[in-house]
Amino acid sequence: MSLVFAGVCSHAPGITSRAHLADPEVKDAVHNAMKRLGEQLRAARPDAVIVVAAEHFANFFMNNMPSFAIGMADAYEGPIEDPAWLGIARREIPGDAALSLRLVTEVMQTVDVAYAEEWKFDHGIMVPLHFLTPDFTTKIIPVNINCQGPPLAPLHRAWSFGEALRRACDKAPERIAIIGTGGISHWPATPDSGKVNAAWDRAFMARWARNDKAAMLSYTDAETYADGGQGGFEIRTFIAVAAAARGQGRVQFCEPVPIFAVSCTTATMEVI
Amino acid sequence: MSLYAMQKFFFHLNREPKVQQRYREDRASLLAEYALDDEERDAIDRGDIGKLYVLGCNGQLLMHFAPLLGLSWPEYLQAMRDGVQQHGPVRRGIYAMTTGVDDKVAGL
């Protein structure tokens, strides 16, 4: 088949772990936006969902850090965090090793990509899945772009990776959805946690929604760090999804929520 | 100074239940396996989040350590602010604190 759905969303652990500390109306608005994205995703009837996430030293460390990695197992486990802390029970999540093998084989025609036959999901994947595929029975293909430990992959390489994922999806008979998780501006897990640059977020999401490749790729890491914090490096996941979908995006929700430490965001993009 | 070794320890601690068990029951011999300096070993041994932040530990690694110590999120954030107040700015790693030690940017 091909790519049947594309979207992006936030994955901040606070969305679930600190739900009880948020204003109930704000919490409900964020959770409902995430659930709506899930309804749209499931309406596309995907056989598998590629989750392009930024992971956080759950599987990959600086002894051997791939810029791009794809999971290649029939089952994964998560969350790696304390389930009580994250607010999401630990469980097994189904994968599809055979599909992963075909995707990896095609992607590596143009992009050097690592593959992993084991993978523990952290909040970067578990928080989105908690809302998007809440029964956790949908097959997931985990994908990571290193947004964590510099040197980071240049943005144009994240774009090329998204293009390669799309080409691989087009060659697969399955119906495949793609979700990018991460960003936009945030200073996670530090005393600055809660700081958000909403103007920078809106500007980036406008570029993303126009699928303006040149504008999206024009950020330097230094600018991103200064304006969007270390969490801003995760725009790579959104950029990869834009490259894969090729269409125009629609931002459904983008509101700064300091207690969740990010501008909570959901958006879809037309697949063309 | 061995920021890499310190972060590698937390990578193992976060991932592996057996390492978490050894942290509770066999801490000295566990920490001896890592090339830590005395300041780092002491901060880990005492669960000193503030000092570990100042020493440059990545927050995505440190964030896991707080619930292991029984710290709530507000306590975790406050511990880092207290660390900066007590020990000065972050010395290494990717972070520079950009808010004041009295700021409550998350509202906590």
Side-chain angles (χ1 to χ4, degrees), chain B residues 22-102:
Chain B
R22 287 189 65 197
Y23 182 81
R24 292 189 190 95
E25 300 172 1
D26 182 25
R27 192 175 307 169
S29 76
L30 170 66
L31 297 183
E33 295 172 9
Y34 295 84
L36 304 166
D37 66 26
D38 290 344
E39 199 173 28
E40 292 162 338
R41 189 179 301 102
D42 180 63
I44 294 171
D45 187 44
R46 290 188 296 104
D48 188 340
I49 292 283
K51 186 65 172 292
L52 291 165
Y53 173 69
V54 168
L55 291 175
C57 189
N58 187 290
Q60 300 287 355
L61 293 163
L62 209 51
M63 179 178 76
H64 294 252
F65 192 38
L68 190 76
L69 299 170
L71 293 180
S72 68
W73 186 252
E75 290 169 334
Y76 168 70
L77 296 180
Q78 189 59 46
M80 289 186 286
R81 292 188 199 110
D82 292 345
V84 170
Q85 202 147 34
Q86 192 175 348
H87 305 292
V90 176
R91 300 175 192 171
R92 290 169 292 151
I94 63 169
Y95 298 132
M97 188 169 165
T98 60
T99 58
V101 289
D102 295 325

Side-chain angles (χ1 to χ4, degrees), chain A residues 152-182:
Chain A
L152 308 173
L155 299 184
H156 72 268
R157 296 283 293 157
W159 180 273
S160 299
F161 182 55
E163 288 182 324
L165 284 170
R166 172 61 185 273
R167 194 182 61 245
C169 290
D170 286 348
K171 291 195 172 184
E174 291 88 348
R175 300 174 62 86
I176 301 172
I178 189 166
I179 293 288
T181 85

